[in-house]
Amino acid sequence: MVFDDNVQLVTRCPFCSAEYDLDGAQVIGEENDATMVYITCSECASSIIAIVAMSGLGIVSLGLVTDMTVEDTKRFNKEKALTGDELLEVYELLEKQKHKALKQLTKSQK
Ligand SMILES: [Zn+2]
C-alpha cells in the first residue's frame, strides 16, 4: 500500500490516544480500491479494523473498534467477501448515521 502524505489515516488509538505503530498493521483484505487493515494498539492492546478506500472524493479511512483477533477477521473475510462498495456503505453509514450505525452493524453480523 502506498499512501499520499496528506492522506489522513487512523493514526491514534480511540481508547488511549496512543499513536499507532502502523508498521505493525496487518492488511486483512483488499477489494478494488478498498483496503482493510487490522491494527493493535501497542499501549493498551485494543484493536481496530481500519478501512481505507478510494472514493470519488479522494481517500477515506475509518476505524472500527473490534474485539476480534486478526485470525478472526481473516476467517470472517474469507467467509464473506466484502466489496469496495460495501466498505463505502459502512463508511457512509458511520458518517451520516453514527448513532444508528452500531445497531445496524451488530444486527447484520448474525
Ligand atoms: Zn490504546
Side-chain angles (χ1 to χ4, degrees):
M1 278 195 299
V2 180
F3 293 117
D4 202 273
D5 279 348
N6 4 338
V7 173
Q8 270 238 286
L9 293 174
V10 181
T11 55
R12 280 180 187 278
C13 174
F15 297 102
C16 71
S17 299
E19 246 178 85
Y20 284 132
D21 177 8
L22 290 177
D23 289 343
Q26 299 184 62
V27 175
I28 53 175
E30 279 181 285
E31 182 78 31
N32 300 325
D33 293 327
T35 303
M36 205 187 280
V37 190
Y38 185 89
I39 309 169
T40 302
C41 176
S42 53
E43 292 298 316
C44 70
S46 61
S47 300
I48 66 159
I49 294 172
I51 296 168
V52 184
M54 294 292 293
S55 75
L57 300 170
I59 295 178
V60 294
S61 79
L62 79 157
L64 301 170
V65 175
T66 180
D67 57 2
M68 290 195 289
T69 65
V70 69
E71 283 76 25
D72 285 339
T73 63
K74 281 177 181 165
R75 198 170 55 219
F76 180 71
N77 235 28
K78 244 181 244 171
E79 280 171 10
K80 185 179 180 293
L82 280 175
T83 66
D85 282 350
E86 281 173 322
L87 295 183
L88 280 175
E89 243 172 64
V90 174
Y91 173 75
E92 279 167 13
L93 184 70
L94 288 173
E95 274 296 288
K96 292 171 189 165
Q97 312 180 49
K98 279 190 182 117
H99 303 296
K100 280 194 225 159
L102 199 62
K103 265 186 199 168
Q104 293 209 19
L105 287 173
T106 47
K107 207 189 284 173
S108 64
Q109 270 177 6
K110 271 182 189 173

